[in-house]
C-alpha cells in the first residue's frame, strides 16, 4: 500500500484559485496502446475554511449531479469561497460518457468499488486514489445520485443511521441545511464498497440524494440539486450567508421520513410491469400496487403485487420490462 | 404478390367470440433451425358492426399500448361487442420482448416497414401480412404510441392533415371521441413506410397517440389510453353508450393544437443536455430552452439552444446524453 | 441478369481429371479491404456420362456431408468415373468454418437464398452463381443435410412429392438406390428459396437427407452418407457396378415412410425440455411425449405436450432449452 | 471472512416440510440498478437422518441434473423422508438459463470457483455461500454432470481416488448404490477449484457423474440419473428400502472401470473432426481413432489420431469443429 | 424514382460564398428514435466556371482525403474561385467517425453503393442523393483514396481505361495536372457500384488516388493530396494560375505506369505474413516476394509466394495477419 | 506459491537438441469444456554456455518479434550453439492469433501481468509460469517490441536506467552488441507489471526494442531484429564469432539517445490527427507538430500541438483518429 498510485492528477489541490483538470489512469487498449482514462476534477479554493467534496455521476446514467456540478464549476467565483470546494461531476466518467450505470471499461459499479485497489482495473484504481488522496482532505462529502435509467424516486436527500451519534447529528444538520423535498434516513439493500461507508468510517459528514431518475432530469429535479449545493456550502461557511429555506421560495417544506423493515418490494416474476400507484401516493398494507403480465401471452392473467406496509410510494422500477429479482418499489413513512 | 404469405395465423378473424393467438413468421436461427417469431393477435367479435384494429408496441419501448391493450383483451366481454375488435398489443413483438424500439431480429423499425415485403426479413413479412390480410378488414385503426426510451411528450392524440377532407372529418370526429388531453394535427419528420399512410391511403380512419414516454408509464398516461380506447369503441358503435368526456371525470377538457413550421428543434452538438423548460410550459421565440455541455470538459461553456417560435413545449429528448442530429424539442401552438 | 456474376471460379468444370478449387465472392471487410470469401468446389470428370452434383454444409453445423464429401474428393479416382462428379462439401463455407447454421457474413440461410441475387450479399451471390453456372450442368443433385446443432433425426433420405410424376418416379428410383435406413416423402415447413425447388423446377432429380444431427456425427451416420453417395453414382452409371443393398451388409432394409398432416409438434412455451420418447420409438395420438419446465422455477408443474397422431418419432429438438415457436418433434408413418 | 455473506437465502434449511426458494446475490446491472441473481434451492426435510445435497447444472449446458432434480423437487413427499434432501437443480442458474457452460454474468466456471470469494463476482459469491452455509450441513454431496454441448460420455458415475481410505470406502459404497452403467475411478485434467475437492476435503462422501452430453438428454440418460438419485437416498436411509439393482430392471450390471495414464487424447490441430470409433467400442493402442481435416481445404490429407492405450472409448469431443488443445477422446479400462 | 429523396441538405449549392453544412439522412435508432446521420458538405462558389466535386473518406480509414479536404474548406477564399468547389471530406462520415472502412450503421461499402437506393439503408440513401443532386452539377469529380488500415500503396493518382476516348483524353490531362508521384491506368478487382463508374458513365472527368495507407498519413502523402487538389483547380480554371510541377519543387517527376494482367497476388493461406520486398522495389517474375507462416506452429516451414510478372511492387497487404482470399500484393509496370 | 502451476510444458528445457512445443494453460470455454490455451515455446540447446531467452508478440499486434523469432527457430542449428536459446515468438499467443495488443481471452496486457498469478486468468497464469520456471534459467532476456497498430517508432533498441550500475553496464554492452539504428535509455510511462522489471529485479540482463509499428513490418525493420538477435547470441558466446557492425554493412552507425523529462506529448482532444513532422525529423521546443480536427465539423479550426522540448521525433500515434489521453508523440535527444 505504500507504493504510489498509478493514477496521476494534473490539478494541485492545495493551490488557491480555480483549476479544472482530471485524474488519469493508465488504460492500455487495443485501439490505444499507451492510452489513459480521464476523470475530470476541479478545485475552487480560497482563504481558510473547510473542504467540501462534491461528486456526481457515481453512476453514469444519473444526471442531476453532472449537470448541477458542471454549472457549479463554471459559476463559482473563487473570491467568494473560504476553504476548498473539490468537484468531480462525473465520478465514473467513462460510464457517464456511455450513458450507463457501470463503467464500460471494466463493468464495475464505482459505488461498490471503495476503498479501491491500487492494482485493480480502472474503476478500482480511481477509487483507491480518492481514498488515499482526496477523501482525507475532505471535511464533508456530498454524493448526488438519482434513480438512473432503471429506477425513479421522489426527490430526496439522505443520510445513514450511524452508530457514532455525534457524527450522525452533524450529518443530520447538514441534511437539514441541504433542504430537500424529503429528508430520509436511508437503509441500503447492499451497502458494502460504497463511498458512503468509506467517508463515514473516517468520521466525516456524508450527505447523499436520489433526485428523480429514469435517465433524465427536469428543471424541478435540477433545482433540488442546485438549492442543496449552495445551502451546504453556506451551512459549512464556505460561502457567506444562511441556507435558503424552501418555504421562502414558495415550496412545501422538507418532510422527514424513514424506511420501515418492509420498505422494499422485489419482483419475483419477469414481464410487462403496470404500476397501479404513482410516486408520492399513499399506500396501505395489502393494497394492489403493481401487476406483471407475461410478455407475448396477452391472454393470461397477470401476477399481482401488494404493498407490504403502510406509507408513501417513494421509489419504483422505471422500465416497464422487469425481471425476477429486480427492485419493484420502495415505501417510506413519515418520521 | 399473388404468392401466399409465409406468415401463418392461428386465429380465425371471421369467427365470433374471443380468440387469443398469434401470427408466426418463419425464422431460422443458429439456435433454432426451424424456429419462428410470434406476434400475438386477439380478436373479439360478435353480432354486426364495424371492425376496429388496435395496435400497441409498434415501437418496442413504448408501453401504454401494450399494457392497455393486454387489459382490453382480458377484460372485453364479446357479448358486449357489435362488430370486431382486433388487437395486436405488441405489433413489433420481438422489439417489445427486448425493450427496444427496433426489432432485435433484423434491426427494422416496424413503423417504416409498411406496406411490407413478402420475401423480406421478419418485420417486413409481418407488415406485408397485415397490409394484405388485416388492414383490408379494418374500418378504423388506432395505433397507440408514446415517446419510448428516447423521447417524452405531453400526452396527446393525433391525426394527420389529409387531402381527403371527408376522411379528415371522420378522423377528426374519432379524435374528438378519443378525448385526449391534447388533440394534435400532426406533421411527421419522415412519414414514409408508416402504417399510418397505408391505412389512410385505403380511405380508412386512422388515430394515433404519443402518451408520455421515457420508457415507462404512469397511472395518468395509462388512463389516457384506456379512456380513449373505450370512447373510440363507443363512437363507432362497437360498444353501447356515448363517449365519456374528460370534464365529467374532473379533468381539463381536451385542447386542440397544431404544429408550426418551426416546431422541431434538432441538436447540432453532442453532450450533456440540460433542458431549461419543462413539458407543457409556454416558450417564446428566441427564449433559451436548453444547454448542451461537452462530456468530460466541465470547464467549457455550453452551447445554448433557443425556441424557434412561440408555443408550448410538447415534446423533448428524454435522455441527457444527446448526439448531433438528434431530436431535441417540439413546440406546438393552440389551434 | 445478363451482367456476368461477380463470383469467380478457379476450376474448369469442362476439363477431365480431378481439380480442387473454389468459388470466390468479393467481400470487402474492415479487416481486409479487398478480401473475398471462398467456397471450395471440386470436379472429378472423365469419359462421358451424366453429371452428379453433391453438396454438404448447406447449413454450417451439419457434418455428415462435409466429411463424407471431403473423403469422396480425396478418394475418388477420375479413371473410374464416366461423366462428372461436382462436389461442394461446404456449400455455405463461412457457416461451416464458424460451426453455425447461417453465414456469419450476412446472417443468411443458404437454403432459403435460391435462386440467389447477383447484387446481393455473399450468400445470395453464391446461390446466384450456382443457379446460373452449376445447376444447369447437373443431371442429379444430392444435398446432404442432418439436424444441425438444434435438431436430431433418425437418419433418412428423402424426396419431395412432385407434380411431375415422371420426374417423381426418377427421384424415387434414385432414393431407392441411395438406400437410406428410412426413405421419406418429405413435406417442408417453409419450402421457398431452397436449392431443392430450384433443381426440381428445372426438371432434375433431387435427393436430400437428414442424417442424425445435434452438431456431431457417428460412424453410423457417416456410413449412411458414404453408402448412399457410392450407390447414387452407381445408379446413374458414373461408377461401374450395382448399388449395394443394406441387407447385404447385415443391416435392416430401408423403410418407406410418409409424413401425416399433423407430423410437426411446435413448442408454445419456453423452458427446459424433457423428451419422454426417444427417436425411432412408436407413439400413439394423445400420448405424452414431452414436458417443458420453467427455467428457474423448479417448484412449478411442467406443461405437457402430446403426440398429435400415431406414428414413429422421426425427429426432435436437440437442445434442452426451448423457446415458443421452436420445432419440438416430428412424427412419421409407415408408407 | 467473518463478515456475513452478501448472498441471501429465502428458505430455512432447518425447517421440516418442503420449501422451494432461492439464493439471491446482489447484481447491479445497467438494465437493473438494484438487481439480483437468483439460484433456486429446495429443501425437503423430515424426522431425523443424514443430509444429502444434490446439485445439477453446475455447468449450464448439462441437462440430466436439472431435469431429474426438478422432478425430485416436485415429486418427493416430505413424509417419506428421514433427514434432509437439499436440491439445487441449477447450481449455476444464469448459465442454465443461457444454455452455456459458464456464467454469462462473469464468465466463471462454477466448478473452478470453489471455495468461492465473499467479495468476488456473482459465481464466486455463491460458491462462498455454499462453502460456508450449505456444505457444512451435508453428509453426502451428489453433483450430476454430463458432457455438455462440447463432450459426450458413455453414462458413468464416478468417485475420485482419495488418500483417506475410510472415506474412499464410504464413497465407493455410495457409488455402488448409485448403480450407474459404468462406475469409474476418475482422474481430472485440472482438479482445483472444484466443489468435489471442497466436499472431500471436509471428509464427506462425494459422488459425481457424466451422463451422456452433447447438450441434450434421452430417456436412457435421464433414467440413469433418476435411478441413481433414488438409490442414493435409500442407501443413506433418507428413504426407506434397498437400492434397486440394474439387473432387476433387465439392464446390464454396472461395470467398474479405471483410467490409465494415457487416458486422454488431446487435439493438436484444428479442423473438421471425423471420429472413427463410436462410444463404448473397444480400441487397441495405436489404432486410428480420429481424423482432422483442414476446414476449406478439402483436397488436403487429414491428420490421423491414434489410441494411446488399450481400452474402451468412454468419452469424445461432441462437435465436429475442433481446435488445437481441445479434448478429443478419453479411454478407460476394465477395473 | 420521382419521389423526393428522404435525405435533406442544409446548404444551397447555387449560392455564392462559402457554406459548410451537411446532408442528413433519417436514422431511427434504439438510442434516438428520431435521430439522423449527418454527412458534412461544403460549397465554395463564386463567379462563373466549372464545378469540381472533391470527396475523401469514401472508406472511413483512409485519411489523406479527410485531412487535405478539411484544410481546403478552411483555407480556400471564395473570392479566389471562379466556379464551384463542392467538398465532402468524409463521404462515408459514420465510417470516418468509427475509423473503419465500412459504415458502422449498415455495414455498407460506400464505394459499392452507387448509384444508391432511395429506400435503402443510410449509406445507399446518401449515394442516391449524390447521384441525383450532386453528381449532375459536377464537371469533374476527384475522389481521394489511400490504402486504409489493410493495404499500403506507393502514392499514385489514377484514371480508368475508358471506351470514350475523348473523355479518356480529358481525364488523362486532369491526371497529368494532378501531378502525382505515379500516374496509373487502373484496373479494378471489382468495379461495380463505385462512384467512379457513375461519374464516368455521365461523361464526366473522374480522377482518383491511392496515397499510402496503413491507416495513417505522413507529411509526404498529405503533400501529394494538397499539391494535386490545387493543381486540379488550376487546370480547370477554378483557381488562377498554372499547375505547379513536382520538378519545380525538387521532386522526381511523375511516372506513368500500367497494370499487367498478372498484377494482383492473392493469398491462398492464412497466417503471419513476411514481405520480402518493400514498396517501390523492382521484382522479377518468379522472385520470392512473401512468406506466410502458420500462426502458433513456429516449427513448420512457411508457404512462399512469388511475383507473377516483372515490375515494381506498387501495393501490399498492410497487416501481418492474413487470410485466404486476401489481397497480398500488386505489381505495376512502367508505361 | 508452493502449489505447482496449472500450466504444463511439453518441452524439456534441460535436454540438448532442438525442440518446438508449447505451454498449455487450462481454459474451459463454452465451446470447449476441457479446452486449453497454447503458447509456443522452443528450446535449442547444446554444450555449455549461457541461456538467452527471446520473446516476441508480448503485444499481439507487433510483428518483428514473431517473424524474426519464428525464423530463428527454423534456422538455428543446435550444433552451432553453446548454451541454451529459449524462444517464445508469440508471448501472448492468443493476442497474436487475434492481431490485437491484449489477450482476447481475458483482456489482459501480458506486459502488465508480471510476476503473474497462479490462480489468475490465462495471461496471468502464463506470466506466473515464466516467472517461476523460465526466467530463473535465463541469463539474458531479449523482448522484441514494436509500436503495434496504434504507435510508430523509429526503430530502436533500449535498456532502462538501472540503480545496479554493474548490471547497467552489462546491459549497455548487450545493447551495443545488438547494434540497433538508435540505442535508447528508456523511461516508461507506466512500468509496473512488465517482464522487464521482473528480469532486472533478478539481476539479469534485459534488452528490449521498438522496431517500427503501425501493425506491419518492412524488410528494414525485420533486418534490425535479425541483425540484433544474431549479434546478441555472439556477444554472449552462444554462437561463435563477433557481433557484426552496421557500418560493415553500409549502414549508419548506431546513435545513442536519451529521453528528456518532456519527452511525451499526450492528446487532450479527440478527432482527426494531422502530424506536421515525420519520424526522425528534428523539432524545436514550441514548434507546431500536430493538429487535431473535430470529426464531422470540417469548418472549425483545429487544436494545435507543439513540441515541449528540442530533439528528434522518435515516436508518434499511428492512427489518424485520436482520443483525449492518448499518446501523441515522443521526442528523444542525442545522448
Amino acid at each position: 500500500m505504500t507504493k504510489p498510485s498509478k493514477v496521476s492528477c494534473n490539478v494541485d489541490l492545495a493551490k488557491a484559485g480555480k483549476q479544472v483538470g482530471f485524474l488519469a489512469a493508465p488504460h492500455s487498449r487495443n485501439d490505444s496502446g499507451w492510452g489513459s482514462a480521464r476523470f475530470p476534477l476541479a478545485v475552487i479554493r480560497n482563504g481558510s475554511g473547510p473542504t467540501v467534496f462534491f461528486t456526481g455521476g457515481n453512476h453514469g446514467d444519473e444526471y442531476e449531479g453532472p449537470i448541477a456540478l458542471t454549472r457549479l464549476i463554471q459559476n463559482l467565483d473563487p473570491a467568494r469561497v473560504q476553504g476548498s470546494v473539490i468537484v468531480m461531476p462525473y465520478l465514473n466518467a467513462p460510464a457517464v460518457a456511455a450513458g450507463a450505470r457501470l463503467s464500460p471499461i471494466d463493468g464495475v459499479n464505482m459505488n461498490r468499488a471503495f476503498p479501491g485497489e491500487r492494482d485493480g482495473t480502472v474503476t478500482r484504481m480511481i477509487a483507491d486514489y480518492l481514498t488515499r488522496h482526496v477523501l482525507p482532505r475532505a471535511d464533508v462529502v456530498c454524493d448526488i445520485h438519482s434513480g438512473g435509467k432503471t429506477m425513479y424516486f421522489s426527490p430526496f436527500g439522505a443520510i445513514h443511521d450511524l452508530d457514532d451519534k455525534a457524527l450522525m447529528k452533524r450529518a443530520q444538520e447538514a441534511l437539514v441545511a441541504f433542504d430537500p423535498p424529503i429528508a430520509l434516513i436511508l437503509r441500503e439493500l447492499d451497502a458494502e464498497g460504497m463511498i458512503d461507508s468509506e467517508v463515514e468510517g473516517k468520521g466525516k459528514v456524508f450527505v447523499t440524494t436520489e433526485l428523480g431518475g429514469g435517465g433524465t432530469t427536469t428543471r424541478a429535479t435540477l433545482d433540488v440539486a442546485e438549492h442543496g449545493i449552495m445551502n451546504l456550502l453556506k451551512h459549512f461557511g464556505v460561502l457567506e450567508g444562511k441556507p435558503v429555506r424552501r418555504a421562502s421560495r414558495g415550496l412545501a417544506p422538507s418532510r422527514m421520513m424513514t424506511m420501515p423493515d418492509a420498505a422494499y418490494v422485489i419482483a419475483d416474476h419477469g414481464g410487462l410491469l403496470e404500476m397501479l400507484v404513482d410516486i408520492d401516493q399513499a399506500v396501505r398494507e395489502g393494497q394492489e400496487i403493481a401487476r406483471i403480465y407475461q410478455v407475448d401471452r396477452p391472454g393470461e392473467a397477470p401476477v399481482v403485487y401488494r404493498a407490504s406496509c403502510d406509507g408513501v410510494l417513494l421509489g419504483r422500477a422505471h422500465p416497464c420490462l422487469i425481471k425476477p429479482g429486480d427492485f419493484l418499489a420502495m415505501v417510506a413513512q413519515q418520521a
Side-chain angles (χ1 to χ4, degrees), chain A:
Chain A
M1 256 316 171
T2 56
K3 284 205 254 182
S5 172
K6 287 184 269 189
V7 170
S8 64
C9 177
N10 72 346
V11 154
D12 178 353
L13 296 178
K15 204 172 106 184
K18 185 191 292 190
Q19 302 166 74
V20 185
F22 50 81
L23 305 182
H27 181 219
S28 185
R29 311 188 307 268
N30 284 334
D31 68 347
S32 180
W34 289 352
S36 59
R38 293 182 164 186
F39 294 73
L41 180 150
V43 57
I44 299 135
R45 184 182 172 101
N46 190 47
S48 66
T51 293
V52 183
F53 180 29
F54 286 104
T55 53
N58 187 329
H59 296 124
D61 58 351
E62 307 177 357
Y63 294 105
E64 280 79 5
I67 294 172
L69 295 175
T70 293
R71 289 176 55 72
L72 180 68
I73 291 171
Q74 298 188 2
N75 298 334
L76 186 59
D77 179 357
R80 293 175 52 209
V81 165
Q82 286 296 323
S84 280
V85 183
I86 306 177
V87 187
M88 286 188 73
Y90 326 126
L91 190 62
N92 198 343
V96 171
R101 180 175 183 84
L102 312 174
S103 174
I105 293 177
D106 52 17
V108 172
N109 181 348
M110 177 64 86
N111 214 28
R112 294 298 177 282
F114 281 83
E117 271 179 76
R118 181 188 172 280
D119 302 314
T121 56
V122 165
T123 310
R124 299 186 202 281
M125 262 193 242
I126 292 294
D128 170 71
Y129 185 92
L130 296 174
T131 299
R132 290 209 248 169
H133 298 296
V134 180
L135 299 188
R137 291 177 165 273
D139 299 289
V140 182
V141 177
C142 173
D143 186 30
I144 301 174
H145 286 256
S146 53
K149 289 186 171 168
T150 64
M151 293 176 282
Y152 191 88
F153 297 99
S154 181
F156 65 81
I159 57 170
H160 296 101
D161 196 352
L162 304 173
D163 293 336
D164 175 343
K165 290 306 161 192
L167 179 58
M168 174 84 177
K169 182 158 179 293
R170 284 195 293 137
Q172 242 161 335
E173 287 163 358
L175 179 57
V176 166
F178 195 96
D179 196 34
I182 292 168
L184 185 75
I185 309 301
L186 190 63
R187 305 184 343 153
E188 303 287 343
L189 274 175
D190 161 32
E192 206 172 303
M194 297 174 82
I195 189 173
D196 314 38
S197 336
E198 197 54 37
V199 173
E200 291 161 353
K202 293 185 157 139
K204 298 175 177 200
V205 169
F206 183 83
V207 174
T208 189
T209 70
E210 297 287 356
L211 304 177
T216 193
T217 63
T218 61
R219 268 316 309 150
T221 58
L222 275 169
D223 182 71
V224 175
E226 293 177 349
H227 176 78
I229 290 167
M230 297 313 279
N231 275 351
L232 216 56
L233 289 174
K234 290 175 185 164
H235 174 70
F236 286 102
V238 175
L239 290 182
E240 221 176 337
K242 291 203 162 178
V244 178
R245 310 311 306 170
R246 289 174 59 82
S248 77
R249 299 177 60 208
L251 300 166
S254 195
R255 276 184 298 159
M256 212 69 190
M257 301 193 82
T258 59
M259 290 173 61
D261 283 352
Y264 290 108
V265 181
I266 304 297
D268 281 323
H269 304 82
L272 271 183
L273 172 67
E274 178 190 14
M275 288 300 297
L276 301 172
V277 176
D278 279 339
I279 283 291
D280 285 331
Q281 289 186 327
V283 297
R284 305 220 48 100
E285 190 182 329
Q287 176 184 342
E288 290 195 6
I289 60 167
R291 299 186 190 115
I292 299 180
Y293 298 86
Q294 286 185 44
V295 172
D296 285 346
R297 295 204 169 261
E300 304 210 0
V303 186
V304 171
Y305 283 79
R306 293 170 189 279
S308 46
C309 62
D310 293 2
V312 165
L313 191 78
L314 203 67
R316 54 165 285 191
H318 180 75
C320 289
L321 206 59
I322 202 165
K323 292 191 182 141
D326 282 357
F327 164 77
L328 198 159
M330 179 175 129
V331 173
Q333 295 174 335
Q334 200 70 26

